[in-house]
Amino acid sequence: MGLLAELTHRCPLQCPYCSNPLGLEGAGTELDTGTWQDVLRQAARLGVLQLHLSGGEPTVRRDLEDIVATAAEAGLYTNLITAGVLLNRSRLEELAVRGLEHVQLSIQDVDPVNADRIAHYDGAHRKKRELCGLVREIGLALTINAPVHRQNLDRLDGIIDFAVEMGAGRLEVAHVQYYGWALANRAALMPTRAQVMRSMQIVQQARERLRGILVIDFVVPDYYATWPKPCMGGWGRGIINVTPSGKVLPCHAAETIPGLIFDNVRDKPLAEIWLHGQAFEKFRGTEWMIEPCRSCERREIDWGGCRCQAFAIAGNAAAADPACVKSSRHEELVALAEREASRPPPAFSYRRPRKPTSPGAGTPDKAPAEGP
């Protein structure tokens, strides 16, 4: 089991594909140090083995070292998921002393200008490169996480070379998944089918060439898939997501589904929420399934695919994931992807807190559409 601890939604970067919700939780709602420490101890007793400290950007928390220390004392393998622009040597060394074992660094591109444009942060790529060197020197394990889309996918070869150069043990090439901010920016991010097919070839060749040097995980885009992936390994099967304010989710996008009740660690023990929470029980297992999922031979392979995507596209969270060829909405999904990918990309709507406005007032900040 794994615990994704979203310590904060604060972040210096403004990536247009961020998996955080459009309604970001403010700093004033965040769990305090002691509550997070208690959650981690509860998680260890529940059987969680891996802790992923995420955000937002978790390094904005001044108590990160104390949280890491508690995780180590509880026996959790601790992975820091970071944009890397706020970490320096002294802090990274202190985190390692406290028990941090792994750093997962996100990159936006290997072209520095385009990388900084996507992140909406000047100098971001340079800082990430510097952090990779520090991680190696300190002796922590390093994973490079590369979300890919139409505006950086043509440099996938370079992204793989970057991971090797930086001494990463693992590279996650993750086609953007269209929830949250990525859904709002889908037309700007959707790759063409040709780009996707080419990326699959590049990854396969690189896996063969770099066997024993670099492990490459590859997440395909649902909109061009034949079968859905088992989202989060199956709803309520192995991942617990705790938001900055303490809500416990089966997946990071679950709040997009109406009618689910999300318990809070301030009010109930984590084990009770995991075992009996309404949101976890709703789509756990196979009893909830309707046709074609109910009688499908793959129902315990992909577990029905993504419930959030089913709701977003089909309007019914219990429907077959439209990524599945058996879904009545599958061709609609493919056509949507091909239509959006064939048009010039619109400007990004950058990830940032949205100020309350009157209905219809204001629009998100935009950025130039075309990258190099």
Side-chain angles (χ1 to χ4, degrees):
M1 285 177 60
L3 174 68
L4 179 64
E6 294 181 345
L7 300 182
T8 181
H9 279 166
R10 291 173 285 160
C11 185
L13 271 56
Q14 299 176 22
C15 303
Y17 48 73
C18 182
S19 61
N20 289 159
L22 298 181
L24 298 170
E25 295 181 359
T29 70
E30 294 173 10
L31 299 179
D32 62 22
T33 309
T35 305
W36 271 119
Q37 290 172 319
D38 184 55
V39 168
L40 300 186
R41 296 186 187 105
Q42 290 185 55
R45 293 195 295 269
L46 182 58
V48 169
L49 299 176
Q50 296 186 339
L51 170 65
H52 306 282
L53 297 170
S54 180
E57 174 49 51
T59 60
V60 305
R61 294 272 308 215
R62 297 179 180 179
D63 58 356
L64 181 60
E65 289 82 351
D66 293 334
I67 291 171
V68 167
T70 298
E73 292 165 3
L76 300 173
Y77 181 88
T78 306
N79 172 38
L80 177 66
I81 303 174
T82 179
V85 299
L86 301 181
L87 275 172
N88 56 30
R89 177 184 292 275
S90 62
R91 193 166 194 208
L92 188 60
E93 287 177 339
E94 180 62 20
L95 287 167
V97 167
R98 296 291 194 100
L100 182 66
E101 297 174 87
H102 190 281
V103 173
Q104 182 173 327
L105 176 69
S106 64
I107 65 169
Q108 284 67 43
D109 199 342
V110 288
D111 179 285
V113 174
N114 199 44
D116 291 356
R117 180 185 71 92
I118 294 170
H120 209 252
Y121 188 103
D122 290 341
H125 187 70
R126 173 182 53 80
K127 291 184 177 183
K128 291 168 187 286
R129 178 178 282 275
E130 292 170 356
L131 180 65
C132 287
L134 293 177
V135 171
R136 273 201 319 271
E137 291 176 24
I138 293 170
L140 297 171
L142 174 64
T143 291
I144 299 294
N145 178 39
V148 293
H149 46 84
R150 71 188 294 184
Q151 299 200 40
N152 68 2
L153 193 51
D154 291 337
R155 286 176 291 281
L156 180 54
D157 281 310
I159 289 171
I160 295 170
D161 291 343
F162 175 85
V164 174
E165 179 189 353
M166 295 298 103
R170 183 179 295 272
L171 168 66
E172 180 175 311
V173 178
H175 277 274
V176 166
Q177 306 297 296
Y178 295 99
Y179 322 110
W181 291 90
L183 182 59
N185 283 285
R186 187 177 60 194
L189 298 167
M190 183 66 68
T192 65
R193 183 181 292 274
Q195 282 183 302
V196 171
M197 298 305 293
R198 177 60 178 152
S199 72
M200 295 171 69
Q201 294 172 354
I202 290 172
V203 167
Q204 182 57 39
Q205 292 168 2
R207 281 173 168 168
E208 295 173 2
R209 184 177 74 254
L210 298 171
R211 186 176 289 114
I213 299 173
L214 179 69
V215 175
I216 304 178
D217 296 328
F218 186 57
V219 180
V220 299
D222 289 338
Y223 283 54
Y224 291 110
T226 300
W227 302 110
K229 62 181 180 295
C231 189
M232 307 299 285
W235 185 281
R237 287 180 57 81
I239 298 292
I240 303 172
N241 186 165
V242 181
T243 76
S245 66
K247 288 181 286 185
V248 187
L249 316 179
C251 82
H252 54 259
E255 290 179 281
T256 63
I257 299 176
L260 296 181
I261 299 171
F262 302 107
D263 296 310
N264 196 296
V265 294
R266 303 179 198 261
D267 306 318
K268 292 183 179 181
L270 188 64
E272 180 181 340
I273 298 171
W274 166 252
L275 293 171
H276 306 298
Q278 185 264 5
F280 283 86
E281 290 283 82
K282 182 69 174 180
F283 300 113
R284 180 181 272 150
T286 60
E287 289 301 312
W288 60 270
M289 292 181 178
I290 58 178
E291 296 296 344
C293 299
R294 179 175 286 273
S295 61
C296 180
E297 67 280 4
R298 294 178 54 87
R299 64 185 177 277
E300 294 188 8
I301 298 174
D302 56 41
W303 302 100
C306 179
R307 299 301 86 222
C308 302
Q309 188 157 261
F311 178 77
I313 303 298
N316 178 5
D321 185 340
C324 180
V325 71
K326 293 186 177 184
S327 167
S328 62
R329 309 296 289 269
H330 181 71
E331 293 303 321
E332 174 187 339
L333 188 75
V334 174
L336 187 156
E338 292 178 339
R339 182 171 62 251
E340 291 193 335
S342 69
R343 297 171 177 169
F348 288 142
S349 293
Y350 280 117
R351 173 215 189 269
R352 58 188 59 172
R354 292 186 167 184
K355 297 178 181 179
T357 59
S358 58
T363 58
D365 289 349
K366 300 291 184 178
E370 297 287 356

